Amino acid sequence: WQSIILPQVAINTLPAFTNEITTLLKETSLIATIGGTDIMRLAQIVAAEQFTYFLPLCIAGAYYYGLVLMISFIGTFTEKRFSYVKN
């Protein structure tokens, strides 16, 4: 099972897994509306203290964008690496 089925399952589910991780990361910014402490909530707190909203929210957006790019790059790299195993 480990040497035959598991590698095939890992190769076929990797794109969906990468997409799910990216979606979960994007949805964590919605926690700020509930009141949980995350990147967006911290940006809103800093913006309220300094009365400047543009820069903290841009920094939070850039942080999320960088994380999503990093996860996408790792997923693409791993997918390409596994494609050699698949063929």
Side-chain angles (χ1 to χ4, degrees):
W1 187 82
Q2 288 179 337
S3 62
I4 296 173
I5 295 175
L6 190 61
Q8 293 175 9
V9 169
I11 291 169
N12 291 330
T13 59
L14 186 64
F17 184 66
T18 304
N19 187 28
E20 188 66 27
I21 290 174
T22 304
T23 303
L24 286 173
L25 177 67
K26 289 177 182 178
E27 289 176 355
T28 58
S29 63
L30 297 176
I31 294 175
T33 60
I34 299 171
T37 304
D38 71 325
I39 300 166
M40 285 299 285
R41 183 70 180 149
L42 292 175
Q44 290 173 351
I45 291 170
V46 169
E49 289 175 355
Q50 298 178 354
F51 297 108
T52 172
Y53 288 89
F54 187 71
L55 186 62
L57 293 177
C58 282
I59 291 172
Y63 186 73
Y64 275 118
Y65 185 67
L67 285 174
V68 168
L69 280 179
M70 185 175 60
I71 289 171
S72 298
F73 176 74
I74 291 170
T76 304
F77 177 76
T78 310
E79 219 176 304
K80 287 181 183 178
R81 187 171 177 122
F82 277 144
S83 71
Y84 295 121
V85 175
K86 190 175 184 179
N87 295 331

